[in-house]
Amino acid sequence: MQTLTTIKSIKTQKEDQFTSYLGMLIALGSFSMLFVALLASYGILRSRSAIWMSYTIGTIPLFLAWVNTVVILISSITLFMASKANERENKILTLNQIYTTIIIGLVFLSLQIILWNLLIYDGFTIKSHQAGSVFYMLSGLHGLHILGGIISLIWLVFKIRVNNLILKPMRLVSMFWHYLTIVWVVIFLTVIII
């Protein structure tokens, strides 16, 4: 009788895990459609505009955007290291790496706000031209998702403090965070660099 109960429990856990991953994939697919639609709008507006942008991003804001890109890439590395520590059931290292990722995420958001202030001070605003409106819309939406990612990381810390091994929640939050890193790199390359 015990064997049958154990088999049912394992089957239920696998079904729950599949459902969780499927739900995250659907969420990431939805976010992707939103960002792709916005980037497609950006491409259409840019291709139809005779003069896309009368403003060129200054050296300091461009440098800050590069720094922010490096910062978010480092945050993905620290979260990856947290995932590996979690798989090895090293609770202290897992928590330390997640704390580092949270701090780096907050640094990213702070640098984003500083970047916005520098650009606004230089005249690169939402109302100045289409490039400004697209940039603030995309980076603002991404910033909101980063904030959601930080909240998810904080939730993960509480889960880890209660349980030693939490592979599924760790993997789901990691998927979301790495996705946000990729989205930022795409925004950076398409809107700021090109």
Side-chain angles (χ1 to χ4, degrees):
M1 195 62 144
Q2 180 67 23
T3 306
L4 184 59
T5 305
T6 304
I7 291 171
K8 285 182 180 179
S9 174
I10 291 171
K11 185 177 179 183
T12 303
Q13 287 174 354
K14 286 186 178 185
E15 288 173 357
D16 288 345
Q17 189 173 10
F18 173 76
T19 304
S20 299
Y21 287 125
L22 182 61
M24 180 55 77
L25 289 175
I26 290 170
L28 294 180
S30 299
F31 298 147
S32 295
M33 288 191 298
L34 176 63
F35 280 110
V36 166
L38 291 173
L39 286 169
S41 299
Y42 161 77
I44 291 168
L45 289 172
R46 186 167 183 173
S47 67
R48 289 186 179 175
S49 177
I51 300 174
W52 172 245
M53 184 168 63
S54 58
Y55 174 85
T56 56
I57 294 177
T59 306
I60 294 173
L62 184 59
F63 175 74
L64 198 56
W66 274 104
V67 169
N68 227 6
T69 303
V70 171
V71 164
I72 200 161
L73 288 169
I74 291 170
S75 75
S76 261
I77 292 168
T78 59
L79 190 58
F80 175 76
M81 291 167 58
S83 295
K84 290 300 176 190
N86 186 51
E87 288 173 7
R88 291 189 308 269
E89 298 184 36
N90 187 337
K91 186 175 183 176
I92 294 170
L93 184 58
T94 301
L95 287 171
N96 287 339
Q97 292 297 339
I98 293 173
Y99 291 140
T100 304
T101 306
I102 291 169
I103 291 167
I104 294 171
L106 292 171
V107 167
F108 176 86
L109 287 177
S110 299
L111 288 173
Q112 195 68 12
I113 291 168
I114 292 168
L115 176 63
W116 281 14
N117 286 329
L118 286 172
L119 291 173
I120 290 169
Y121 181 77
D122 285 346
F124 187 82
T125 66
I126 291 174
K127 294 180 180 180
S128 61
H129 41 67
Q130 292 175 338
S133 62
V134 169
F135 170 75
Y136 288 109
M137 181 176 44
L138 279 169
S139 62
L141 185 62
H142 181 263
L144 287 174
H145 283 84
I146 288 287
L147 187 60
I150 291 170
I151 292 167
S152 298
L153 288 168
I154 292 169
W155 169 80
L156 195 58
V157 166
F158 289 114
K159 290 282 278 186
I160 290 171
R161 287 176 170 255
V162 173
N163 301 327
N164 282 332
L165 185 64
I166 55 152
L167 291 175
K168 183 175 64 174
M170 184 76 187
R171 287 180 183 153
L172 295 174
V173 172
S174 294
M175 285 171 66
F176 181 62
W177 193 263
H178 297 313
Y179 169 80
L180 293 177
T181 300
I182 292 167
V183 168
W184 173 255
V185 170
V186 170
I187 291 171
F188 175 71
L189 291 174
T190 57
V191 179
I192 297 174
I193 297 299
I194 297 178

